[in-house]
């Protein structure tokens, strides 16, 4: 079990009429963290059972999924190849991927769009290579995410998760147990691809709330006030949020609570889907002054 941690925040950050909890999915493992761990679980079983020697996967230069896959490969004994979108670059995330033994292969943004072609060109039809979709976001990954419910106490009234591809939201919808029929599921898209997220989610259920006003304009977009509120959250809880995913969930939950969206005494759960590569990539944008 991982902690479902109650956080107490000062009233100017969060109204005292509701209770806020954080599900520490980020604590599964420092690098194979959060929903990336959930999404990899059944892929790893399959890779081991079928004796694939190398996993080929995909991501941007600040991808939580790449680090998770690289580290999992080192732990479970398979080689990893990361096909990276865009011009060759070097950063702390890619450094860590290499540190875990991943081979990095940069392709143009156009070439990146056809992942099966990238895979075929890289593997040259040799056997033993496993195609792992970007973010681990397929049926297998969604199945892993259904298990998040095992960590969610039945007193929780509202569950919030960040949506990139929507696979985690889909897993929550697919796995919702009868013990939690009253629990409402909320998805916070972190980019403006609302339709593709909802297409994945709606395959399982339409019983969720989708809040589209918290993207701040798009993927990895931020602003001064937003980053300040992430800093304040961390200073009062000891929990780091990243500006790309979990930060936007906090932004949404905080705004909804301030607008009295929740009934008094509601128990609200923010799923910490892990992954701190976003904060590694953006630390220079944060307000640095110490008042
Ligand atoms: C990848 C990622 C997400 C997005 O999850 P999806 O299943 O693609 O919607 C959310 N939070 C964090 C921290 C992530 O790394």
């Amino acid at each position: 079990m991982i902690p479902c941690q109650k956080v107490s925040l000062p009233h100017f950050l969060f109204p005292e009429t509701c209770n806020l909890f954080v599900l520490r999915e980020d604590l599964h493992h420092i690098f194979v963290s959060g929903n990336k761990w959930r999404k990899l679980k059944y892929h790893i079983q399959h890779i081991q059972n079928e004796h694939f020697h190398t996993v080929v996967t995909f991501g941007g230069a600040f991808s939580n999924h790449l680090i998770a896959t690289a580290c999992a490969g080192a732990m479970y004994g398979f080689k990893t190849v990361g096909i990276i979108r865009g011009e060759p670059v070097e950063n702390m995330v890619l450094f860590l991927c290499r540190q875990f033994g991943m081979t990095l292969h940069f392709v143009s943004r156009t070439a990146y769009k056809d992942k099966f072609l990238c895979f075929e060109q890289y593997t040259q039809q040799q056997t033993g290579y496993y195609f792992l979709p970007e973010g681990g976001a397929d049926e297998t990954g969604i199945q892993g995410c259904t298990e998040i419910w095992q960590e969610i106490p039945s007193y929780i009234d509202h569950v919030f998760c960040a949506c990139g591809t929507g696979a985690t939201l889909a897993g929550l919808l697919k796995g919702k147990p009868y013990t939690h029929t009253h629990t409402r599921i909320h998805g916070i898209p972190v980019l403006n691809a609302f339709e593709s997220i909802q297409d994945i989610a709606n395959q399982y259920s339409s019983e969720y709330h989708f809040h589209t006003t918290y993207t701040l304009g798009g993927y990895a977009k931020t602003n001064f006030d937003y980053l300040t509120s992430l800093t304040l959250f961390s200073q009062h809880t000891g929990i780091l949020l990243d500006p790309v995913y979990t930060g936007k969930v906090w932004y949404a939950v905080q705004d909804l609570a301030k607008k009295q969206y929740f009934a008094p005494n509601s128990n609200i759960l923010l799923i910490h889907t892990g992954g701190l590569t976003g904060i590694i990539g953006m630390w220079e944008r944060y307000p640095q002054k110490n008042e």
Side-chain angles (χ1 to χ4, degrees), residues 266-281:
S266 294
N267 292 322
I268 302 154
L269 179 68
L270 189 164
I271 300 183
H272 195 315
T273 38
L276 291 169
T277 62
I279 206 167
I280 295 177

Side-chain angles (χ1 to χ4, degrees), residues 35-36 39 64 162-168 245 273-274:
N35 63 356
K36 299 306 181 281
K39 291 197 268 189
N64 288 318
C163 306
T165 61
T168 306
Y245 294 104
T273 38

Side-chain angles (χ1 to χ4, degrees), residues 234-254:
S234 297
Q235 287 177 351
H236 287 96
T237 59
I239 302 170
L240 275 181
L241 301 175
D242 79 280
V244 180
Y245 294 104
T246 52
K248 288 188 178 172
V249 183
W250 157 242
Y251 172 49
V253 168
Q254 182 187 40

Side-chain angles (χ1 to χ4, degrees), residues 17 63 99 111 137 172 205 250-251 291:
T17 48
S63 162
Q99 206 59 18
L172 289 173
S205 165
W250 157 242
Y251 172 49
E291 306 294 292

Side-chain angles (χ1 to χ4, degrees), residues 206-259:
S206 56
E207 303 237 319
Y208 61 97
H209 304 265
F210 199 60
H211 305 270
T212 56
T213 50
Y214 301 104
T215 65
L216 292 172
Y219 188 73
K221 293 279 185 345
T222 67
N223 63 46
F224 186 90
D225 289 343
Y226 168 67
L227 293 176
T228 304
S229 111
L230 303 193
T231 304
L232 288 169
F233 181 90
S234 297
Q235 287 177 351
H236 287 96
T237 59
I239 302 170
L240 275 181
L241 301 175
D242 79 280
V244 180
Y245 294 104
T246 52
K248 288 188 178 172
V249 183
W250 157 242
Y251 172 49
V253 168
Q254 182 187 40
D255 187 66
L256 291 167
K258 281 184 177 167
K259 289 176 175 158

